[in-house]
Amino acid sequence: QVQLVESGGGLVQAGGSLRLSCAASGLTFSSYAMGWFRQAPGKQQEFVATITWSGSTYSADSVKGRFTISRDNAKNTLYLQLNSLKPEDTAIYYCAAAGGYNSRLLTRRNEYDYWGQGTQVTVSS
């Protein structure tokens, strides 16, 4: 079965950095579009960044210039580099996968087929 397992979250001071990873198994990773979403306490889940199977990327305006999405198909792993973190970045971060060699930049949660369990990122001021 498909599994997406996030890691790399933690507690960091404002201005700091983290790198999140999402290890995928049970799917042909290289053919999947991947995405990151986040959910802060008391708020709806929101789109963060996406990468197509061929490597095109798109990020939400709130993280553009600070967060970078990337993938390593040889390791079946998705990454999210978080720099210049702010307290408002505090959330549970989820990775997601969408199949079918999708070349569109997917920003809605209902476009994704599989989800990880999430990793907590807490940014202190």
Side-chain angles (χ1 to χ4, degrees), residues 26-121:
L27 51 72
T28 306
F29 181 74
S30 60
S31 70
Y32 276 69
M34 301 294 295
W36 287 99
F37 290 74
R38 66 185 181 184
Q39 187 165 20
K43 294 188 177 181
Q44 286 191 326
Q45 193 179 66
E46 65 173 355
F47 165 77
V48 175
T50 185
I51 185 167
T52 66
W53 69 274
S54 58
S56 298
T57 63
Y58 176 76
S59 301
D61 287 344
S62 59
V63 305
K64 204 162 289 185
R66 300 189 299 123
F67 292 5
T68 302
I69 188 172
S70 63
R71 64 191 299 159
D72 185 336
N73 289 338
K75 295 183 178 179
N76 286 358
T77 301
L78 174 73
Y79 301 101
L80 186 68
Q81 179 68 41
L82 291 68
N83 296 331
S84 303
L85 281 161
K86 305 175 182 179
E88 52 263 43
D89 295 319
T90 294
I92 300 174
Y93 284 71
Y94 299 90
C95 70
Y101 287 102
N102 203 319
S103 295
R104 294 184 298 117
L105 295 163
L106 307 177
T107 63
R108 296 192 300 269
R109 55 170 289 119
N110 64 3
E111 295 176 312
Y112 290 85
D113 303 307
Y114 303 103
W115 292 81
Q117 82 291 346
T119 186
Q120 175 72 48
V121 171

